Amino acid sequence: MHASDAQVGTAMDALEDGLQFLSKLITQAEGMGDSDTHVKVLGSVFVPSKRLLAQMRFRPWNGVFLSEEYLSGVEAADAITRQLLRTYAQYGVVPLVESSIKTDDELCYVYDLIEDAYGSNSRS
């Protein structure tokens, strides 16, 4: 199995264009190669929190683009994160949680985000 990583960001049109392009490339590559060849696309995702937003506002990670709307508050970031995950689900992208998860409540929140996009079978 091979993997490709999609860096986190909030430019949804660019994300969708990129995932469509990757999907076509993967389909072509799998059609030309060994039947054992399988590519998974991993997509970074942040778990919205006040701390994360403050960090990204003042010292963002290199190569990460988060819109002013995302950075405006946890509620907006949550909505955008859910939209991002639904897009990932549509293209079979495996979410890679980049945020630190330290409590049961934070873990439950991550499950909620993923289940919202991928369905209730996503925990297995």
Side-chain angles (χ1 to χ4, degrees):
M1 178 182 1
H2 303 283
S4 176
D5 177 31
Q7 188 62 276
V8 72
T10 58
M12 294 300 167
D13 290 340
L15 173 66
E16 185 129 11
D17 289 346
L19 290 174
Q20 286 175 359
F21 178 75
L22 267 177
S23 180
K24 288 177 188 174
L25 282 179
I26 291 167
T27 299
Q28 289 173 356
E30 289 177 342
M32 294 173 17
D34 186 340
S35 62
D36 291 337
T37 301
H38 188 68
V39 176
K40 283 284 187 191
V41 177
L42 308 176
S44 295
V45 63
F46 287 135
V47 178
S49 69
K50 288 180 183 179
R51 182 176 180 205
L52 171 79
L53 297 180
Q55 175 187 354
M56 291 301 175
R57 202 175 287 117
F58 297 108
R59 189 173 273 175
W61 291 5
N62 190 28
V64 174
F65 170 76
L66 299 174
S67 68
E68 286 301 316
E69 181 184 2
Y70 187 96
L71 295 172
S72 70
V74 174
E75 189 173 304
D78 177 88
I80 292 169
T81 299
R82 289 177 190 278
Q83 180 183 3
L84 172 85
L85 285 167
R86 284 190 294 273
T87 302
Y88 282 175
Q90 179 183 350
Y91 288 92
V93 174
V94 177
L96 177 64
V97 177
E98 299 277 1
S99 301
S100 175
I101 307 300
K102 296 181 180 179
T103 68
D104 288 344
D105 286 345
E106 290 171 340
L107 183 60
C108 287
Y109 180 44
V110 171
Y111 280 140
D112 180 61
L113 288 170
I114 293 172
E115 284 182 352
D116 181 55
Y118 289 82
S120 61
N121 292 330
S122 58
R123 286 191 189 202
S124 45

